[in-house]
Amino acid sequence: MDCAAPDDPGAPPLPYDRLASCRACPRLARYLAEVREQYPGYHCAPVPAWGSSRARLLIVGLAPGKHGANRTGRPFTGDASGRFLFEGLLKVGLVTDADPVNATLRGVRLTNAVRCLPPENRPRTAELRRCSAYLRHELNQLWSPAVRRPRCVLALGRVAHLAVGYALGRRLPAFAHGATDEVAPHLWLASLYHPSRQNTNTGRLTAAMRDDVLRRVVALLDS
Ligand code: SF4
């Protein structure tokens, strides 16, 4: 897989080493400038992946949270979604602490479908497609046809699942919480509802549901 912007034929490829200064999505760049004025201490820039590029599990969220990753500059760090996710990751031994601020990652890497904070947490399709060039690069690091041990992408919610499809450049089975599909030899795609407060406060996603999926992901990686 090479790092080109899928379905955006007029656009140049997005070099991963220039992610920090990427302004390819004008709407998001304008919004980040507004938020920066309001919160001058916040990161307010594209949020890079966190974790070793040699990790065997890549977790893909939706977008930086306004007062979470957009503040701290690290995916899933600084808000309730991250803490909910990390409580589960701690139980299966993938992190060393339930608080992302203090945690060390063990064989897991974290990223988002879009790396800039979108208004109302809703990226547009064109933004998802554009930013999937970076996700494609991250997937290239996770998996190649030469790998002989399982790798896994865990998509948190429908939008992340869609972005993985864009990055892989193929149609995937529809998003279904708890589903696991081998989308290429030794490459698994698992799906979990996004750990947003909207989902966790309403019981759409419970700790037991989270733990069940994470246990199955670890079993896949160990298989
Ligand atoms: S969302 Fe992604 S592609 Fe768009 S400006 Fe941010 S880093 Fe660049």
Side-chain angles (χ1 to χ4, degrees), residues 14 19 22-26 28-29 32 46-47 113-116 127 130-132 134:
L14 300 174
L19 169 66
C22 184
R23 302 285 183 275
C25 302
L28 303 190
L32 279 181
V47 174
V114 291
R115 285 144 192 77
C116 295
E127 293 157 353
R130 207 170 288 129
C131 209
S132 71
Y134 295 122

PDB file of all heavy atoms in Angstrom, residues 14 19 22-26 28-29 32 46-47 113-116 127 130-132 134, ligand 1:
ATOM      1  N   LEU A  14      -0.135  13.199   0.734  1.00  0.00           N
ATOM      2  CA  LEU A  14       0.139  13.920   1.981  1.00  0.00           C
ATOM      3  C   LEU A  14       1.325  13.245   2.664  1.00  0.00           C
ATOM      4  O   LEU A  14       1.183  12.155   3.192  1.00  0.00           O
ATOM      5  CB  LEU A  14      -1.101  13.885   2.884  1.00  0.00           C
ATOM      6  CG  LEU A  14      -2.358  14.522   2.295  1.00  0.00           C
ATOM      7  CD1 LEU A  14      -3.552  14.303   3.218  1.00  0.00           C
ATOM      8  CD2 LEU A  14      -2.148  16.004   2.061  1.00  0.00           C
ATOM      9  N   LEU A  19       2.875  15.976   8.638  1.00  0.00           N
ATOM     10  CA  LEU A  19       1.562  15.941   9.294  1.00  0.00           C
ATOM     11  C   LEU A  19       1.373  17.121  10.251  1.00  0.00           C
ATOM     12  O   LEU A  19       0.312  17.742  10.275  1.00  0.00           O
ATOM     13  CB  LEU A  19       1.409  14.611  10.056  1.00  0.00           C
ATOM     14  CG  LEU A  19       0.221  14.516  11.011  1.00  0.00           C
ATOM     15  CD1 LEU A  19      -1.093  14.559  10.247  1.00  0.00           C
ATOM     16  CD2 LEU A  19       0.282  13.221  11.822  1.00  0.00           C
ATOM     17  N   CYS A  22       0.061  20.089   8.534  1.00  0.00           N
ATOM     18  CA  CYS A  22      -0.952  19.866   7.490  1.00  0.00           C
ATOM     19  C   CYS A  22      -2.123  20.836   7.662  1.00  0.00           C
ATOM     20  O   CYS A  22      -2.651  20.997   8.755  1.00  0.00           O
ATOM     21  CB  CYS A  22      -1.452  18.422   7.547  1.00  0.00           C
ATOM     22  SG  CYS A  22      -2.622  18.040   6.211  1.00  0.00           S
ATOM     23  N   ARG A  23      -2.499  21.474   6.564  1.00  0.00           N
ATOM     24  CA  ARG A  23      -3.682  22.352   6.548  1.00  0.00           C
ATOM     25  C   ARG A  23      -4.536  21.990   5.329  1.00  0.00           C
ATOM     26  O   ARG A  23      -5.150  22.851   4.731  1.00  0.00           O
ATOM     27  CB  ARG A  23      -3.269  23.831   6.453  1.00  0.00           C
ATOM     28  CG  ARG A  23      -2.355  24.323   7.572  1.00  0.00           C
ATOM     29  CD  ARG A  23      -3.116  24.531   8.885  1.00  0.00           C
ATOM     30  NE  ARG A  23      -2.237  25.060   9.917  1.00  0.00           N
ATOM     31  CZ  ARG A  23      -1.457  24.323  10.706  1.00  0.00           C
ATOM     32  NH1 ARG A  23      -1.452  22.995  10.577  1.00  0.00           N
ATOM     33  NH2 ARG A  23      -0.700  24.878  11.625  1.00  0.00           N
ATOM     34  N   ALA A  24      -4.529  20.708   4.981  1.00  0.00           N
ATOM     35  CA  ALA A  24      -5.191  20.302   3.734  1.00  0.00           C
ATOM     36  C   ALA A  24      -6.710  20.442   3.794  1.00  0.00           C
ATOM     37  O   ALA A  24      -7.366  20.463   2.758  1.00  0.00           O
ATOM     38  CB  ALA A  24      -4.812  18.860   3.390  1.00  0.00           C
ATOM     39  N   CYS A  25      -7.269  20.527   5.001  1.00  0.00           N
ATOM     40  CA  CYS A  25      -8.728  20.683   5.132  1.00  0.00           C
ATOM     41  C   CYS A  25      -9.013  22.118   5.597  1.00  0.00           C
ATOM     42  O   CYS A  25      -8.879  22.410   6.798  1.00  0.00           O
ATOM     43  CB  CYS A  25      -9.283  19.687   6.140  1.00  0.00           C
ATOM     44  SG  CYS A  25      -8.944  17.969   5.728  1.00  0.00           S
ATOM     45  N   PRO A  26      -9.395  23.004   4.676  1.00  0.00           N
ATOM     46  CA  PRO A  26      -9.538  24.419   5.034  1.00  0.00           C
ATOM     47  C   PRO A  26     -10.547  24.644   6.158  1.00  0.00           C
ATOM     48  O   PRO A  26     -10.319  25.461   7.053  1.00  0.00           O
ATOM     49  CB  PRO A  26     -10.010  25.077   3.726  1.00  0.00           C
ATOM     50  CG  PRO A  26      -9.687  24.091   2.657  1.00  0.00           C
ATOM     51  CD  PRO A  26      -9.667  22.731   3.274  1.00  0.00           C
ATOM     52  N   LEU A  28     -11.336  22.713   8.641  1.00  0.00           N
ATOM     53  CA  LEU A  28     -10.777  22.303   9.930  1.00  0.00           C
ATOM     54  C   LEU A  28      -9.649  23.245  10.363  1.00  0.00           C
ATOM     55  O   LEU A  28      -9.513  23.557  11.546  1.00  0.00           O
ATOM     56  CB  LEU A  28     -10.284  20.854   9.860  1.00  0.00           C
ATOM     57  CG  LEU A  28     -11.335  19.823   9.443  1.00  0.00           C
ATOM     58  CD1 LEU A  28     -10.804  18.404   9.636  1.00  0.00           C
ATOM     59  CD2 LEU A  28     -12.630  19.997  10.224  1.00  0.00           C
ATOM     60  N   ALA A  29      -8.865  23.721   9.394  1.00  0.00           N
ATOM     61  CA  ALA A  29      -7.787  24.671   9.737  1.00  0.00           C
ATOM     62  C   ALA A  29      -8.400  25.962  10.296  1.00  0.00           C
ATOM     63  O   ALA A  29      -7.898  26.523  11.283  1.00  0.00           O
ATOM     64  CB  ALA A  29      -6.945  24.960   8.507  1.00  0.00           C
ATOM     65  N   LEU A  32      -9.686  25.219  13.841  1.00  0.00           N
ATOM     66  CA  LEU A  32      -8.585  25.128  14.804  1.00  0.00           C
ATOM     67  C   LEU A  32      -8.065  26.520  15.179  1.00  0.00           C
ATOM     68  O   LEU A  32      -7.735  26.782  16.337  1.00  0.00           O
ATOM     69  CB  LEU A  32      -7.432  24.293  14.225  1.00  0.00           C
ATOM     70  CG  LEU A  32      -7.583  22.782  14.298  1.00  0.00           C
ATOM     71  CD1 LEU A  32      -6.347  22.100  13.707  1.00  0.00           C
ATOM     72  CD2 LEU A  32      -7.792  22.306  15.734  1.00  0.00           C
ATOM     73  N   PRO A  46      -2.889  19.224  14.014  1.00  0.00           N
ATOM     74  CA  PRO A  46      -3.073  17.789  13.792  1.00  0.00           C
ATOM     75  C   PRO A  46      -2.439  16.979  14.920  1.00  0.00           C
ATOM     76  O   PRO A  46      -1.337  17.303  15.382  1.00  0.00           O
ATOM     77  CB  PRO A  46      -2.339  17.550  12.457  1.00  0.00           C
ATOM     78  CG  PRO A  46      -2.385  18.874  11.766  1.00  0.00           C
ATOM     79  CD  PRO A  46      -2.284  19.910  12.856  1.00  0.00           C
ATOM     80  N   VAL A  47      -3.135  15.939  15.340  1.00  0.00           N
ATOM     81  CA  VAL A  47      -2.651  15.096  16.445  1.00  0.00           C
ATOM     82  C   VAL A  47      -2.056  13.822  15.845  1.00  0.00           C
ATOM     83  O   VAL A  47      -2.772  13.039  15.209  1.00  0.00           O
ATOM     84  CB  VAL A  47      -3.803  14.749  17.413  1.00  0.00           C
ATOM     85  CG1 VAL A  47      -3.332  13.765  18.480  1.00  0.00           C
ATOM     86  CG2 VAL A  47      -4.351  16.018  18.055  1.00  0.00           C
ATOM     87  N   ALA A 113      -9.441   8.820  12.880  1.00  0.00           N
ATOM     88  CA  ALA A 113      -9.829   8.865  11.469  1.00  0.00           C
ATOM     89  C   ALA A 113      -9.465  10.212  10.856  1.00  0.00           C
ATOM     90  O   ALA A 113      -8.981  10.280   9.728  1.00  0.00           O
ATOM     91  CB  ALA A 113     -11.330   8.605  11.331  1.00  0.00           C
ATOM     92  N   VAL A 114      -9.706  11.298  11.579  1.00  0.00           N
ATOM     93  CA  VAL A 114      -9.184  12.619  11.181  1.00  0.00           C
ATOM     94  C   VAL A 114      -8.328  13.143  12.322  1.00  0.00           C
ATOM     95  O   VAL A 114      -8.641  12.934  13.488  1.00  0.00           O
ATOM     96  CB  VAL A 114     -10.281  13.648  10.809  1.00  0.00           C
ATOM     97  CG1 VAL A 114     -10.983  13.291   9.532  1.00  0.00           C
ATOM     98  CG2 VAL A 114     -11.263  13.841  11.934  1.00  0.00           C
ATOM     99  N   ARG A 115      -7.254  13.797  11.959  1.00  0.00           N
ATOM    100  CA  ARG A 115      -6.261  14.205  12.958  1.00  0.00           C
ATOM    101  C   ARG A 115      -6.443  15.630  13.444  1.00  0.00           C
ATOM    102  O   ARG A 115      -5.688  16.099  14.302  1.00  0.00           O
ATOM    103  CB  ARG A 115      -4.847  13.965  12.403  1.00  0.00           C
ATOM    104  CG  ARG A 115      -4.511  12.488  12.424  1.00  0.00           C
ATOM    105  CD  ARG A 115      -3.668  12.028  11.258  1.00  0.00           C
ATOM    106  NE  ARG A 115      -3.634  10.565  11.223  1.00  0.00           N
ATOM    107  CZ  ARG A 115      -4.647   9.819  10.783  1.00  0.00           C
ATOM    108  NH1 ARG A 115      -5.778  10.380  10.349  1.00  0.00           N
ATOM    109  NH2 ARG A 115      -4.570   8.502  10.797  1.00  0.00           N
ATOM    110  N   CYS A 116      -7.430  16.342  12.892  1.00  0.00           N
ATOM    111  CA  CYS A 116      -7.747  17.699  13.360  1.00  0.00           C
ATOM    112  C   CYS A 116      -9.157  17.713  13.939  1.00  0.00           C
ATOM    113  O   CYS A 116     -10.051  17.018  13.442  1.00  0.00           O
ATOM    114  CB  CYS A 116      -7.687  18.701  12.210  1.00  0.00           C
ATOM    115  SG  CYS A 116      -6.030  18.898  11.534  1.00  0.00           S
ATOM    116  N   GLU A 127     -13.112  15.229   4.177  1.00  0.00           N
ATOM    117  CA  GLU A 127     -12.035  15.338   5.176  1.00  0.00           C
ATOM    118  C   GLU A 127     -11.560  13.952   5.610  1.00  0.00           C
ATOM    119  O   GLU A 127     -10.358  13.699   5.765  1.00  0.00           O
ATOM    120  CB  GLU A 127     -12.532  16.172   6.358  1.00  0.00           C
ATOM    121  CG  GLU A 127     -12.779  17.622   5.970  1.00  0.00           C
ATOM    122  CD  GLU A 127     -13.755  18.357   6.883  1.00  0.00           C
ATOM    123  OE1 GLU A 127     -14.364  17.726   7.771  1.00  0.00           O
ATOM    124  OE2 GLU A 127     -13.929  19.574   6.676  1.00  0.00           O
ATOM    125  N   ARG A 130      -9.496  12.553   2.797  1.00  0.00           N
ATOM    126  CA  ARG A 130      -8.183  13.198   2.713  1.00  0.00           C
ATOM    127  C   ARG A 130      -7.264  12.675   3.808  1.00  0.00           C
ATOM    128  O   ARG A 130      -6.129  12.287   3.568  1.00  0.00           O
ATOM    129  CB  ARG A 130      -8.390  14.711   2.843  1.00  0.00           C
ATOM    130  CG  ARG A 130      -7.343  15.541   2.182  1.00  0.00           C
ATOM    131  CD  ARG A 130      -7.773  16.992   2.166  1.00  0.00           C
ATOM    132  NE  ARG A 130      -8.845  17.270   1.248  1.00  0.00           N
ATOM    133  CZ  ARG A 130      -9.979  17.926   1.556  1.00  0.00           C
ATOM    134  NH1 ARG A 130     -10.179  18.378   2.769  1.00  0.00           N
ATOM    135  NH2 ARG A 130     -10.897  18.125   0.645  1.00  0.00           N
ATOM    136  N   CYS A 131      -7.772  12.660   5.032  1.00  0.00           N
ATOM    137  CA  CYS A 131      -6.923  12.280   6.164  1.00  0.00           C
ATOM    138  C   CYS A 131      -6.625  10.780   6.157  1.00  0.00           C
ATOM    139  O   CYS A 131      -5.685  10.333   6.817  1.00  0.00           O
ATOM    140  CB  CYS A 131      -7.565  12.712   7.477  1.00  0.00           C
ATOM    141  SG  CYS A 131      -6.355  13.076   8.761  1.00  0.00           S
ATOM    142  N   SER A 132      -7.387  10.024   5.388  1.00  0.00           N
ATOM    143  CA  SER A 132      -7.122   8.582   5.341  1.00  0.00           C
ATOM    144  C   SER A 132      -5.774   8.288   4.684  1.00  0.00           C
ATOM    145  O   SER A 132      -5.256   7.179   4.786  1.00  0.00           O
ATOM    146  CB  SER A 132      -8.253   7.834   4.626  1.00  0.00           C
ATOM    147  OG  SER A 132      -8.236   8.118   3.253  1.00  0.00           O
ATOM    148  N   TYR A 134      -3.052   9.536   5.743  1.00  0.00           N
ATOM    149  CA  TYR A 134      -2.186   9.317   6.907  1.00  0.00           C
ATOM    150  C   TYR A 134      -2.486   7.966   7.558  1.00  0.00           C
ATOM    151  O   TYR A 134      -1.580   7.264   8.013  1.00  0.00           O
ATOM    152  CB  TYR A 134      -2.355  10.435   7.934  1.00  0.00           C
ATOM    153  CG  TYR A 134      -1.903  11.782   7.436  1.00  0.00           C
ATOM    154  CD1 TYR A 134      -2.769  12.865   7.394  1.00  0.00           C
ATOM    155  CD2 TYR A 134      -0.592  11.971   6.998  1.00  0.00           C
ATOM    156  CE1 TYR A 134      -2.347  14.103   6.937  1.00  0.00           C
ATOM    157  CE2 TYR A 134      -0.167  13.200   6.532  1.00  0.00           C
ATOM    158  CZ  TYR A 134      -1.042  14.264   6.504  1.00  0.00           C
ATOM    159  OH  TYR A 134      -0.625  15.483   6.040  1.00  0.00           O
TER     160      TYR A 134
HETATM  161  S1  SF4 B   1      -7.795  16.405   9.094  1.00  0.00           S
HETATM  162 FE1  SF4 B   1      -5.962  15.342   8.319  1.00  0.00          FE
HETATM  163  S2  SF4 B   1      -5.822  15.875   6.118  1.00  0.00           S
HETATM  164 FE2  SF4 B   1      -7.211  17.362   7.113  1.00  0.00          FE
HETATM  165  S3  SF4 B   1      -5.908  19.093   7.706  1.00  0.00           S
HETATM  166 FE3  SF4 B   1      -5.996  17.729   9.491  1.00  0.00          FE
HETATM  167  S4  SF4 B   1      -4.219  16.372   9.279  1.00  0.00           S
HETATM  168 FE4  SF4 B   1      -4.542  17.353   7.284  1.00  0.00          FE
END
